[in-house]
Amino acid sequence: MLEVSSTDVKVIVQVSEAPFPDTLAGELEEIGISVVPAKDRKQAAGACGFLIARESDTGRLSTSLAEWDRPGLLLVYGDRVAGTAAEALAARHPGWEVVRLYRFAGGERALVGGNLRSPWTRIISRQLAKHDVVAMVCGMREAEEVIRQLPRYLAWKERFYLRLGESCDRRGVRLQTVARALGMDSRIGQGWLDPQRMERAALRRWLVRQCRFVMRKTNVRRVALWGPPSLWKQMPPGWMADKEVRLYVPRDEQIPNGKGTLGERCTTWQTALAEADLLVVASPDPELMELPLSELIRHMRQPIVVDACGCFPLPEAEALQMIYRTIGEKTNVWEWSGL
């Protein structure tokens, strides 16, 4: 449950056999919402609401709600569960109220969905304001629609970015220059230039096409992959056949189990790149973008980089006389005909 105080809010989570993600707990801590397991009655004392952040949470909550002396708040957080399931749960247990909380990318803005006259909606809004998060408050249905449409818009934006890159390739012009110029129009702005890589099917096709071309032209034995494990797991079977693959995953992400996970997990990027012939980048990770390109390739046997995110300035790559391929930026190192 949630405990309302002048400093923070406490929320109980129903923990199943799967541990509650540390990343979610950390996101809530940033805005003063502390997470405690339901089984820890001592820590849960004084709480006045439950957290719903995963699809499985609502199924385990029905019994717990009936056991509490007074109804309180059902806080639906993130985009992993539909608020309608929580509303149905609240309808079966009168007095419990549902508030939807979603933080946009960057964490500085949030969406609060619920009854506009509800004390719980006001409490959550004030909590965000205390932690310098700008909140927009709306009805539950409006919040649900925003959360439903946001990934669709980002996927559309990604498709446009990829198609723009293909057009730039055909015409021999540079995508970053064209994109920045388009962003000078106030209706577009520069914010869209950082693609969220929602359209993974198109991204995967581009990566496979570029890597196959490089492997036809050069002798590649060891490959370093930099990006989210969920994307590498979706790559087609055999795309790195007979290659020694090392995987560096930024931000301490976990490698998913199961067939399709590629290569050896490296705890440092230096280990992943040691004597590598090819570096494949699939996410615009800040750690990577802050590193000098010369420092990266210094660890490699061959300086070949296929970069789906435009992490490095093309003039820097050209000055290093390396093979550098990114979307919409043809280099003069190879003749990239037909790509």
Side-chain angles (χ1 to χ4, degrees):
M1 300 195 69
L2 291 180
E3 179 184 72
V4 182
S5 70
S6 59
T7 55
D8 65 1
V9 171
K10 185 186 292 184
V11 63
I12 290 179
V13 59
Q14 297 285 103
V15 181
S16 64
E17 63 281 356
F20 187 72
D22 290 338
T23 52
L24 281 180
E27 290 174 13
L28 290 165
E29 288 286 353
E30 289 175 0
I31 52 177
I33 298 176
S34 56
V35 179
V36 296
K39 62 183 180 181
D40 192 332
R41 291 293 180 176
K42 185 176 181 180
Q43 286 191 50
C48 50
F50 282 91
L51 174 68
I52 301 175
R54 301 167 296 182
E55 285 291 345
S56 56
D57 290 343
T58 52
R60 295 192 301 271
L61 268 178
S62 188
T63 303
S64 297
L65 297 188
E67 293 175 351
W68 286 93
D69 334 359
R70 55 194 175 92
L73 172 65
L74 295 176
L75 180 63
V76 182
Y77 179 73
D79 58 359
R80 302 184 185 185
V81 58
T84 50
E87 286 185 302
L89 183 65
R92 296 195 299 271
H93 298 273
W96 289 88
E97 185 177 341
V98 180
V99 174
R100 188 73 141 110
L101 173 58
Y102 177 80
R103 292 179 74 186
F104 294 102
E108 297 176 353
R109 293 180 176 85
L111 184 67
V112 178
N115 184 335
L116 302 184
R117 290 174 289 185
S118 157
W120 289 112
T121 302
R122 294 195 297 271
I123 288 168
I124 296 300
S125 299
R126 287 199 301 267
Q127 185 71 18
L128 292 168
K130 288 178 186 177
H131 290 80
D132 299 319
V133 176
V134 177
M136 176 178 175
V137 181
C138 62
M140 178 68 72
R141 291 288 182 259
E142 288 81 4
E144 291 286 332
E145 188 65 11
V146 170
I147 295 168
R148 188 172 74 92
Q149 294 296 344
L150 184 59
R152 297 183 179 186
Y153 173 77
L154 292 175
W156 169 85
K157 185 178 75 169
E158 174 67 3
R159 286 194 297 271
F160 175 80
Y161 186 88
L162 289 168
R163 290 174 182 174
L164 177 60
E166 292 172 357
S167 176
C168 290
D169 280 347
R170 289 193 299 269
R171 290 167 172 77
V173 298
R174 293 183 170 178
L175 171 63
Q176 294 300 324
T177 301
V178 173
R180 289 192 181 98
L182 286 172
M184 293 177 70
D185 190 309
S186 60
R187 294 171 298 178
I188 298 174
Q190 299 292 333
W192 72 281
L193 298 179
D194 180 18
Q196 299 298 312
R197 301 302 174 206
M198 300 294 293
E199 185 65 15
R200 290 192 165 187
L203 178 65
R204 291 196 303 270
R205 288 193 296 270
W206 186 89
L207 286 170
V208 170
R209 193 163 66 239
Q210 308 308 318
C211 290
R212 285 177 178 169
F213 185 85
V214 168
M215 291 172 189
R216 288 199 305 266
K217 295 287 186 176
T218 62
N219 180 22
V220 173
R221 297 197 305 268
R222 180 177 291 177
V223 180
L225 305 179
W226 190 312
S230 56
L231 184 139
W232 304 126
K233 190 176 180 181
Q234 296 169 9
M235 298 298 280
W239 81 292
M240 284 290 170
D242 304 322
K243 307 299 178 187
E244 181 185 347
V245 178
R246 292 181 176 179
L247 178 63
Y248 175 64
V249 182
R251 299 191 189 89
D252 228 9
E253 296 182 40
Q254 292 184 348
I255 302 288
N257 296 322
K259 186 177 179 180
T261 300
L262 282 171
E264 174 189 351
R265 166 70 186 267
C266 297
T267 56
T268 67
W269 63 263
Q270 292 91 339
T271 305
L273 273 106
E275 295 300 307
D277 300 296
L278 170 64
L279 168 62
V280 184
V281 179
S283 62
D285 183 63
E287 180 183 6
L288 173 66
M289 299 175 75
E290 290 172 2
L291 292 170
L293 188 52
S294 58
E295 177 66 12
L296 286 174
I297 65 174
R298 184 175 65 84
H299 294 266
M300 302 175 67
R301 189 177 73 86
Q302 293 189 80
I304 307 174
V305 178
V306 171
D307 176 8
C309 309
C311 293
F312 304 103
L314 190 56
E316 181 182 357
E318 292 175 337
L320 293 169
Q321 297 184 339
M322 59 176 290
I323 299 173
Y324 180 64
R325 177 66 169 127
T326 188
I327 296 174
E329 300 284 345
K330 287 192 177 182
T331 68
N332 55 13
V333 181
W334 292 107
E335 179 57 43
W336 298 89
S337 58
L339 296 184

